[in-house]
Amino acid sequence: AWDFVTGRSFTSQQPIVFSFSPDGARDKRQFMKISTSAHRAQQFHAPGEGGILGMGANAIVHRVELHPTLAEGRDSIIDQPPPPQNDKNRTDAQQDECWDAAVKRLFDLSKMLKFLGDSSEAGLAKRMRFANSLNSDGRVVTFYGLGVGLAANAYNANEYKFEVSLLSKYEEEFSTYTMRRFIEDYVCPHEKIQEHQQTNTNDDNIIAKLQADFSLLSVKVLLVSLLNAFRDLTLMGIIAFDFNHLNNVLVSRDHSSVRLIDIDGDSRGSIQFPSEYIQGASSQRLPHKPSLDVDLNTVLPRLVQTLLLGKGRGPAFVTNTVSQVWRTQPDDKAKEILRTVLRENFFATGPTGRNGNTDKVEKHIGKVAEWFYSMLKKQSPWNNWTNDIYDAMRCIDHLPIT
């Protein structure tokens, strides 16, 4: 592998042969095997092993540790022992030099060739690596560079091919915890958690703690982190991001920040001049979008609704409550529905709520319900809140908090 900025070369700490299937994405399971056998015939582990971080429609991602080769170009695996596998046994200098990488492999050649274009993910990743000082808060994945790996046909061990892959920084804090998984945990019904807790499973205890600790402030912090991540892409000159699902966003283990991954934006590339967003090209749409072209009309409203209404209640409850609010007249009755759910979700720890002051709690719930109702129905001042990321940021900025 080679660093985007310095050009320095890296190699895996142990020999690695991946597997592939000639059928590409139609046979994804055969991309999951990996062999690390040194100085002997390759031995593939069973599918599912080999540091697999995730799999999508177009690619699979493995975790691989790499270290730099010698300056003369000779492989340090041969000329000197590799750094210790255990992080605790590495020096600080070794820690800085080594890569703990998420390696993204494409399923077929056509996607691999498209992926290498200037306007595709690899081209954008290189741009973002050079502009990484604008990503100081780490809300967008940090890219290392490109790598070349060897893969064997899962059905014919004598057939090999070379693959180009994209390497990004792996961090345990985010790991494979996508926004989709977070939402599944967040809305998991209380009854289901209580049933599973009888078996004392650690995952259920973690989910129960998540739901107990997640406050209105936590909702706002997470949404602000997401919208700030969109702005970070804009700062780095990226023109588009695919936000039609929640698998492109990772959530930290403390549920307070996000990280955007898979930033190819349908191969739209970087911001050009002139464009419909910058003077030089006319547009009939007012107000003009900012640089980042991202769909905020589908997933984002549903995400806000789920965070405020769905804690421990399941996705069906969110859908039914939103539908009920839309049907209920007059507005005061609809807002009372929201107040009831908000009270039960975030202020049910005692007869006077978290703050021990009933009047204060009820006043605050009323403020949140007013904001939520206007946002939900796109009433003034939030009638255009999904137009672009800046309108969305202004709306979320005004979410009342305790």
Side-chain angles (χ1 to χ4, degrees), residues 304-369:
V304 177
Q305 295 163 18
T306 301
L307 290 174
L308 290 175
L309 301 176
K311 184 166 69 167
R313 294 177 178 265
F317 179 85
V318 178
T319 301
N320 294 337
T321 302
V322 170
S323 178
Q324 185 181 5
V325 169
W326 273 97
R327 295 194 313 267
T328 301
Q329 294 294 332
D331 290 354
D332 287 345
K333 289 187 177 181
K335 294 174 185 177
E336 180 57 35
I337 296 172
L338 296 178
R339 284 194 290 269
T340 300
V341 177
L342 290 169
R343 186 182 302 110
E344 294 171 351
N345 283 354
F346 299 104
F347 300 94
T349 55
T352 57
R354 291 178 182 268
N355 297 332
N357 187 322
T358 304
D359 292 338
K360 186 176 180 180
V361 169
E362 289 301 322
K363 184 177 180 180
H364 181 69
I365 292 173
K367 290 180 180 179
V368 178

Side-chain angles (χ1 to χ4, degrees), residues 14-85:
Q14 54 187 342
I16 291 177
V17 178
F18 298 110
S19 64
F20 77 93
S21 168
D23 292 330
R26 291 175 295 178
D27 192 11
K28 297 179 183 179
R29 186 176 180 84
Q30 299 308 321
F31 285 80
M32 298 172 67
K33 301 176 183 178
I34 186 171
S35 173
T36 58
S37 304
H39 308 298
R40 58 191 177 94
Q42 63 186 19
Q43 298 292 322
F44 283 110
H45 294 301
E49 299 183 9
I52 295 173
L53 299 177
M55 183 185 298
N58 300 316
I60 184 172
V61 181
H62 300 267
R63 182 183 180 185
V64 178
E65 294 192 13
L66 302 97
H67 63 275
T69 59
L70 295 180
E72 295 81 4
R74 292 174 292 134
D75 194 339
S76 56
I77 288 181
I78 298 174
D79 297 311
Q80 64 183 32
Q85 294 281 350

Side-chain angles (χ1 to χ4, degrees), residues 234 239 271 277 287-294 387-390:
T234 303
I239 198 171
I271 301 169
Y277 308 128
H288 290 264
K289 272 194 171 186
S291 300
L292 187 69
D293 187 1
V294 57
N387 271 16
D388 58 47
I389 62 172
Y390 298 108

Side-chain angles (χ1 to χ4, degrees), residues 164-203:
V164 177
S165 56
L166 179 63
L167 280 66
S168 59
K169 186 176 182 180
Y170 171 83
E171 291 191 40
E172 186 66 34
E173 171 67 12
F174 289 87
S175 187
T176 60
Y177 196 49
T178 63
M179 181 73 82
R180 180 185 63 81
R181 286 183 56 197
F182 163 76
I183 290 298
E184 289 175 354
D185 291 345
Y186 184 77
V187 302
C188 184
H190 298 306
E191 301 79 14
K192 185 175 180 181
I193 296 175
Q194 291 169 355
E195 290 176 5
H196 289 183
Q197 279 182 327
Q198 296 176 1
T199 62
N200 295 318
T201 60
N202 188 50
D203 287 346

Side-chain angles (χ1 to χ4, degrees), residues 7-9 11 47 62-63 77 98 112 125 129 151 223 238 264 290 313 316 367 371 391:
R8 190 176 188 184
S9 60
T11 185
H62 300 267
R63 182 183 180 185
I77 288 181
C98 294
M112 190 184 304
R129 177 64 190 277
L223 291 173
I238 306 303
D264 63 330
R313 294 177 178 265
K367 290 180 180 179
W371 175 90
D391 282 334

